[in-house]
């Protein structure tokens, strides 16, 4: 609420500087800096967290007989929910007819500088180096600027390979696994120091959004924005609750436990930045075993995007087709569904839904200039899209764990966001499985003592 208030004040202050060279006022700049710095801190912890969590989780799968089945069922539920979401997106596009009710001038549209291709899908899976590092250089006013970033999907692939190798190496890998467990505990400790800044980060993010975007930008595309948010609401508040109820899970417990992640996703607009909180609520609040959650949640954060990869590209493709007077056939709608379900990984490590949208538009043969018309309000739409993405990334591990009988139902039913910030050493890392009954008794005593 304070962020909304400060954002409104900042917007009322207007921009400063001479005409044609206006810059955001000091309050807008301050809010934007606070929010972006918080997300940057979160993203900085993600690479080591994902790598170590997956390696340790695979090492801990020695006692889990159905590990392969868990992985396949996770991917299957990713596909099922994505297919439902894209069907809703197509329905929203046909019902609202956003392209036929807009005041935009199509001559103002221009193709985006970055477009998605099916090659992105392959390059997103195959690591270019051991760290999953990528670099891009842009030349502005004669000066070159290079940005280095991590491709999280590649980190997931690397971690899976290293984890399996450690699993297969037996006792020779025990020192490496022990080191990984210790490093994971340290990373998690640092992470939760950062997470405690969440209220301040949320204030900056929501305040900057209000200050930067207003109804004057939304009004020409109001019908399109409404179609997107109605579709997102249907998935989040109708489809997901139906799936939960059909699996014998309380809807209220799910939203109560997952809310911290959904809320942060809405203001931060980053599934990757929200990943640490998503994994935490899935384990701590909703009772999904850490051995499974530390694999499923990072995978979902890179490939499970019901908002960005399903609803948004479906509605946007229909919007562009209607705007340019292009008729879409049944085959085109089937192609939209196929691209959404299969091509989600093409968005991994990239900003927003732009890559997925351009991939869909180019596959259908629609004018890419239509994409440029939607970029003005993309951040506002991205807030709802990312919240839906993260909600789905929490939902699937919960449902799969319930169906496999490994969900702690008592913990799920008692889900509360208050447990999220409890920082106790017993929960900081998963202890190595004891080799003897005597060691098991000793470990249990240590855990009980720590909990007390």
């Amino acid at each position: 609420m304070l962020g909304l208030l400060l954002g409104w004040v900042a917007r009322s202050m207007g921009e400063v500087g001479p005409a044609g060279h206006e810059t955001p006022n000091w309050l807008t700049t301050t809010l934007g800096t606070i929010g972006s710095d918080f997300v940057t801190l979160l993203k900085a912890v993600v690479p080591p967290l994902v790598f170590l969590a997956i390696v340790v989780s695979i090492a801990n799968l020695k006692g889990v007989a159905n590990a392969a089945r868990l992985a396949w069922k996770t991917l299957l539920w990713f596909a099922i929910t994505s297919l439902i979401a894209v069907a809703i997106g197509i329905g929203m596009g046909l019902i609202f007819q956003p392209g036929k009710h807009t005041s935009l001038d199509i001559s103002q549209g221009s193709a985006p500088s970055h477009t998605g291709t099916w090659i992105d899908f392959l390059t997103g899976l195959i690591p270019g180096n051991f760290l999953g590092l990528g670099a891009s250089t842009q030349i502005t006013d004669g000066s070159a600027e290079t940005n280095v970033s991590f491709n999280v999907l590649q980190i997931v692939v690397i971690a899976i390979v290293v984890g399996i190798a450690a699993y297969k190496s037996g006792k020779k890998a025990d020192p490496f696994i022990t080191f990984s467990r210790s490093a994971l505990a340290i990373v998690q400790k640092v992470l939760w120091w950062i997470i405690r800044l969440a209220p301040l980060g949320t204030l900056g993010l929501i305040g900057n959004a209000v200050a930067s975007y207003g109804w004057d930008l939304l009004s020409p595309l109001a019908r399109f924005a409404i179609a997107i948010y109605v579709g997102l609401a249907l998935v989040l508040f109708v489809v997901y609750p139906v799936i939960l109820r059909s699996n014998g899970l309380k809807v209220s417990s799910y939203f109560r436990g997952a809310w911290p992640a959904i809320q942060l996703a809405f203001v931060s607009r980053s599934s990757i930045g929200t990943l640490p909180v998503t994994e935490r609520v899935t384990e701590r609040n909703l009772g999904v075993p850490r051995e499974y959650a530390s694999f499923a949640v990072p995978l979902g954060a890179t490939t499970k995007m019901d908002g960005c990869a399903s609803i948004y590209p479906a509605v946007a493709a229909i919007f562009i087709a209607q705007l340019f007077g292009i008729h879409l056939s049944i085959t085109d709608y089937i192609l939209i569904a196929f691209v959404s379900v299969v091509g989600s990984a093409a968005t991994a490590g990239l900003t927003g839904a732009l890559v997925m949208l351009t991939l869909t538009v180019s596959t259908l043969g629609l004018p890419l200039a239509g994409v440029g018309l939607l970029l003005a309000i993309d951040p506002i739409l991205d807030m709802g899209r990312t919240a839906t993405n993260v909600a789905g990334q929490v939902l699937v591990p919960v449902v799969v764990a319930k169906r496999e009988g490994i969900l702690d139902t008592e913990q799920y039913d008692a889900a509360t966001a208050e447990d999220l910030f409890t920082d106790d050493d017993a929960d900081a890392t998963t202890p190595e499985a004891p080799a003897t009954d005597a060691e098991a008794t000793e470990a249990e005593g240590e855990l009980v003592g720590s909990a007390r």
Side-chain angles (χ1 to χ4, degrees):
M1 298 306 297
L2 183 57
L4 289 172
L5 176 61
L6 290 176
W8 177 80
V9 171
R11 186 164 185 82
S12 65
M13 291 169 62
E15 296 182 334
V16 296
H21 299 280
E22 292 91 349
T23 59
N25 59 66
W26 68 269
L27 182 54
T28 301
T29 302
T30 301
L31 292 170
T33 302
I34 292 173
S36 62
D37 285 352
F38 173 68
V39 175
T40 299
L41 284 173
L42 280 176
K43 289 182 177 181
V45 185
V46 166
L49 175 69
V50 171
F51 179 82
L52 293 169
I54 291 179
V55 169
V56 171
S57 68
I58 293 176
N60 289 337
L61 289 178
K62 293 180 180 180
V64 180
N66 60 344
R69 188 169 67 179
L70 282 173
W72 283 113
K73 285 200 171 185
T74 301
L75 295 174
L76 177 62
W77 274 97
F78 281 176
I80 290 173
T81 50
S82 295
L83 189 59
I84 295 172
V86 73
I88 290 176
I90 292 173
M92 291 299 99
L94 296 176
I95 291 172
F96 282 90
Q97 302 282 308
K100 295 182 179 179
H101 301 84
T102 180
S103 59
L104 288 176
D105 182 1
I106 60 175
S107 64
Q108 297 175 352
S110 59
S113 57
H114 300 285
T115 59
T117 67
W118 288 102
I119 299 300
D120 293 324
F121 180 83
L122 296 177
T123 56
L125 286 173
I126 302 174
N129 52 73
F130 182 75
L131 298 176
L133 278 171
S136 60
T137 302
Q138 293 182 342
I139 298 178
T140 305
D141 297 330
S143 60
E145 181 180 353
T146 301
N147 295 317
V148 178
S149 61
F150 286 95
N151 187 311
V152 179
L153 183 59
Q154 291 182 4
I155 295 176
V156 170
V157 172
I158 294 169
I160 290 174
V161 172
V162 173
I164 293 175
Y167 179 89
K168 293 291 187 180
S169 297
K171 292 186 177 298
K172 294 180 180 179
D174 286 348
F176 172 74
I177 295 173
T178 301
F179 168 79
S180 297
R181 288 194 175 102
S182 299
L184 178 59
I186 294 171
V187 170
Q188 287 178 326
K189 179 70 70 174
V190 173
L191 167 67
W192 290 105
W193 290 342
I194 298 173
I195 290 296
R196 291 183 186 278
L197 300 174
L200 188 61
T202 300
L203 180 147
L205 289 164
I206 199 69
N208 182 61
V210 173
S212 301
Y213 304 95
W215 182 249
D216 53 334
L217 287 177
L218 280 173
S219 54
L221 291 166
R223 200 177 186 92
F224 175 75
I226 291 171
I228 294 292
Y229 268 93
V230 170
L232 295 173
L234 286 174
V235 170
L236 186 56
F237 299 114
V238 177
V239 174
Y240 289 172
V242 168
I243 292 175
L244 290 167
R245 292 296 298 171
S246 63
N247 285 278
L249 295 166
K250 292 181 180 179
V251 177
S252 59
S253 296
Y254 165 78
F255 281 106
R256 190 167 60 246
W259 185 249
I262 296 173
Q263 172 183 259
L264 181 59
F266 183 84
V267 297
S268 69
R269 298 169 40 221
S270 173
S271 293
I272 298 301
T274 312
L275 173 60
V277 181
T278 308
E279 186 171 336
R280 185 75 162 190
V281 300
T282 305
E283 299 171 3
R284 176 70 71 86
N285 294 358
L286 298 175
V288 177
R290 173 166 296 173
E291 295 82 359
Y292 169 51
S294 58
F295 165 78
V297 175
L299 182 64
T302 55
T303 60
K304 172 63 180 161
M305 300 186 181
D306 289 344
C308 289
S310 297
I311 294 175
Y312 178 68
V315 178
I318 294 173
F319 168 84
I320 293 171
Q322 292 172 348
L323 190 65
F324 286 86
I326 299 174
H327 174 71
L328 295 179
S329 64
I330 296 297
T331 304
D332 292 322
Y333 293 125
I334 295 174
L335 194 58
I336 291 174
F338 173 79
V339 174
S340 298
V341 174
V342 178
S344 297
T347 63
L350 300 169
T351 303
L354 178 61
V355 170
M356 193 63 199
L357 175 56
T358 55
L359 176 62
T360 305
V361 170
S362 59
T363 302
L364 293 173
L366 299 174
L368 284 171
V371 176
L373 297 171
L374 303 175
L375 296 181
I377 63 168
D378 188 72
I380 297 298
L381 302 179
D382 199 26
M383 297 172 80
R385 292 193 313 242
T386 309
T388 305
N389 293 344
V390 169
Q393 293 158 17
V394 176
L395 175 87
V396 170
V398 169
V399 170
V400 173
K402 177 62 166 61
R403 295 175 71 90
E404 292 298 305
I406 60 175
L407 182 72
D408 187 337
T409 52
E410 291 185 3
Q411 187 176 359
Y412 177 89
D413 291 338
T416 171
E418 293 178 0
D419 292 340
L420 179 66
F421 293 97
T422 303
D423 186 16
D424 56 73
D425 294 333
D427 192 66
T429 186
T430 304
E432 185 174 2
T436 65
D437 290 343
E439 290 175 349
T441 303
E442 180 181 356
E444 182 180 1
E446 291 176 355
L447 287 174
V448 170
S450 177
R452 286 175 179 171

